[in-house]
Amino acid sequence: KAGVTQTPRYLIKTRGQQVTLSCSPISGHRSVSWYQQTPGQGLQFLFEYFSETQRNKGNFPGRFSGRQFSNSRSEMNVSTLELGDSALYLCASRTIDGAQYFGPGTRLLVL
Amino acid sequence: AQSVTQLDSHVSVSEGTPVLLRCNYSSSYSPSLFWYVQHPNKGLQLLLKYTSAATLVKGINGFEAEFKKSETSFHLTKPSAHMSDAAEYFCVVTFSGGYNKLIFGAGTRLAVHP
């Protein structure tokens, strides 16, 4: 089975712009979660989607949003980018027993 | 509140010697526990998982971990370190009431010297 894929792998944006990141889960997985990884804050949970519904949300401002499509692919959007949004954004899809499998991540740099 | 504490931010071992990475958790609910590894500029790879079955869990690449409820610990061990084990390791907890939100420890960076 193919693993979790994320596109693009690298992005450079400027402050005030918006960005959309994409994640395709492992085939058959219906749950997709997003995480932000920074040197200062470590790994933090953003949100989780299951069957096109947001089931859980972390403590991030409303500029961070997401959605999931009927084929389980998910997108994450960040509007009005700030310098502090520079991070590695990881997507994970979940098996029935709770284990989450991560994609390679999208590295976002905000200038 | 649920939390995970990795007791060492850095661990350094010689190749061929045992590895011990320590993790303590706090959870009001029945936890599921995981160890993940992250090599430089890579995503996270699942090493092993505890989901209330056997308390001694074997994972990939010779790693194993033991769930000790009385000590609220889930330490990761490997009998003999290999150079390729050098990476950052994350202890992770989730709980039945938290849907699928993973709570990560701060990470332990493992260095392996020849």
Side-chain angles (χ1 to χ4, degrees), chain A residues 54-70:
Chain A
Q54 188 182 88
R55 271 207 309 199
N56 207 351
K57 190 176 189 303
N59 189 26
F60 278 81
R63 299 186 297 107
F64 291 81
S65 64
R67 59 178 176 169
Q68 187 180 33
F69 302 95
S70 59

Side-chain angles (χ1 to χ4, degrees), chain B residues 12-23:
Chain B
S12 182
V13 300
S14 298
E15 191 175 22
T17 64
V19 175
L20 170 64
L21 305 183
R22 298 181 295 166
C23 172

